């Protein structure tokens, strides 16, 4: 592939799966995310050795407005350029709207929506100048449809789809595509963490949450694997996908077909 990719929120879950897929396809990758620094260094070093590409790590906290732009400028300095930007970092909070903590609303909008804007803003001019770029936003089935108790997340993810379409139009004549991936339920720590919160909000057991809440709307009745999101991202970053832009692609086992 010979490209340089930034993947936000790639120390875990979907972002890590996407970073691994891009590295295995031959891209140099800048990882980002929170977590134990020793563990992160292990992930970085083993991915670099296994895939035979340069893998860096930038620890910016994307709740800070300057963090996302700093990753992009630092990647250009350390790895030479940015060809691919995957805006993936995200958090969730589950609560009825009348009790929804205001600081959770602010954090979810900042991380799930504004960080994608800040990173795109920083990466867009260099991509345009190069005449080639790929921006992939990890949205959600909740960018297309809502569920109760997830007001901030659903609002942010719908916003990501609006950002995706706008950036697609601005990049259309410059070889820069921008698409959104809309996963249903994928088995990651983010899903694990919301099982207990949903059980509490609805007053039901963990098993009921898994069978009758989380996968109730997912006709395939299975969680997607992060590899599936990685493979789709690699395709969207290929030459074959150069006419695909402004799209929101469900990877949701049929959820939003209903
Ligand atoms: P995860 O919790 O496994 O990973 C989230 C990543 O974001 C981690 O690397 C974490 O360190 C990083 N992160 C968190 N806060 C950060 C901050 N302030 N600054 C920088 N990095 C930060 O979650 P995941 O399930 O892999 O989710 C990744 C994306 O996929 C999110 O945008 C999420 O909304 C979306 N998504 C997930 C699912 C799912 O089922 N897991 C479904 C649809 C969409």
């Amino acid at each position: 592939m010979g490209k340089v990719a930034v993947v936000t929120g790639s120390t875990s879950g979907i972002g890590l799966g996407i970073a691994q897929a891009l590295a295995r396809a031959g891209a140099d990758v800048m990882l980002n995310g929170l977590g134990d620094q020793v563990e992160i260094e292990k992930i970085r070093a083993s991915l670099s050795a296994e895939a035979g590409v340069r893998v860096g790590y930038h620890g910016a906290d994307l709740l800070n407005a300057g963090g996302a732009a700093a990753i992009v400028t630092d990647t250009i300095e350390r790895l030479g350029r940015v060809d691919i930007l995957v805006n993936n970092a995200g958090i969730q909070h589950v609560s009825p709207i009348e009790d929804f903590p205001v600081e959770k609303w602010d954090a979810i909008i900042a991380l799930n929506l504004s960080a994608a804007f800040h990173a795109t803003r920083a990466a867009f001019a260099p991509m345009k100048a190069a005449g080639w770029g790929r921006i992939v936003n990890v949205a959600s089935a909740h960018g297309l449809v809502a569920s109760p108790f997830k007001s901030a997340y659903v609002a942010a993810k719908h916003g990501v789809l609006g950002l995706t379409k706008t950036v697609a139009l601005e990049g259309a004549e410059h070889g820069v595509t921008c698409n959104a991936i809309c996963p249903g339920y994928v088995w990651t720590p983010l899903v694990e963490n919301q099982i207990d919160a949903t059980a509490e909000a609805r007053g039901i057991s963990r098993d009921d949450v898994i069978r009758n809440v989380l996968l109730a709307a997912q006709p395939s009745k299975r969680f997607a694997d992060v590899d599936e999101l990685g493979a789709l991202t690699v395709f969207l970053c290929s030459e074959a996908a150069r006419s695909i832009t402004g799209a929101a692609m469900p990877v949701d086992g049929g959820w939003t077909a209903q």
Side-chain angles (χ1 to χ4, degrees):
M1 182 181 260
K3 304 291 185 188
V4 175
V6 169
V7 186
T8 69
S10 48
T11 53
S12 156
I14 294 172
L16 178 55
I18 289 174
Q20 287 169 332
L22 287 168
R24 287 169 189 152
D28 292 332
V29 176
M30 182 65 81
L31 300 172
N32 157 257
L34 310 179
D36 182 271
Q37 295 303 303
V38 175
E39 284 307 308
I40 291 171
E41 174 51 24
K42 272 190 210 154
I43 290 170
R44 190 205 63 73
S46 72
L47 182 56
S48 179
E50 178 220 325
V53 295
R54 292 181 295 169
V55 179
Y57 166 70
H58 196 292
D61 183 339
L62 301 182
L63 286 172
N64 303 325
I71 300 173
V72 172
T73 48
D74 202 51
T75 301
I76 293 170
E77 257 178 57
R78 286 162 61 188
L79 299 179
R81 53 185 203 278
V82 173
D83 306 298
I84 295 166
L85 169 64
V86 181
N87 289 306
N88 165 79
I91 47 171
Q92 172 66 284
H93 185 78
V94 179
S95 167
I97 192 147
E98 63 269 35
D99 301 324
F100 208 95
V102 172
E103 65 278 11
K104 292 284 185 196
W105 170 275
D106 289 342
I108 288 171
I109 299 297
L111 185 61
N112 297 20
L113 177 57
S114 300
F117 159 74
H118 291 297
T120 301
R121 185 174 178 276
F124 199 71
M127 286 180 179
K128 231 165 78 172
W132 200 95
R134 295 286 187 269
I135 300 170
V136 178
N137 294 324
V138 180
S140 168
H142 281 124
L144 297 163
V145 296
S147 296
F149 312 125
K150 297 182 179 176
S151 53
Y153 188 86
V154 170
K157 294 299 188 181
H158 276 67
V160 166
L161 297 196
L163 176 68
T164 301
K165 292 177 197 171
T166 307
V167 173
L169 295 181
E170 294 186 29
E173 288 192 74
H174 303 283
V176 180
T177 71
C178 182
N179 292 289
I181 293 177
C182 299
Y185 279 98
V186 184
W187 191 254
T188 65
L190 186 137
V191 166
E192 175 55 38
N193 291 342
Q194 66 183 283
I195 293 173
D196 289 336
T198 305
E200 200 181 319
R202 292 179 181 247
I204 56 177
S205 72
R206 268 180 67 91
D207 278 356
D208 277 348
V209 170
I210 293 171
R211 275 201 314 274
N212 302 323
V213 180
L214 297 186
L215 296 183
Q218 194 146 306
S220 60
K221 296 295 170 198
R222 57 173 285 277
F223 289 95
D225 295 323
V226 298
D227 296 1
E228 299 169 52
L229 287 321
L232 177 56
T233 302
V234 169
F235 172 68
L236 288 173
C237 294
S238 71
E239 286 311 305
R242 63 191 176 279
S243 296
I244 301 175
T245 195
M249 305 198 157
V251 185
D252 64 3
W255 175 353
T256 54
Q258 298 170 99

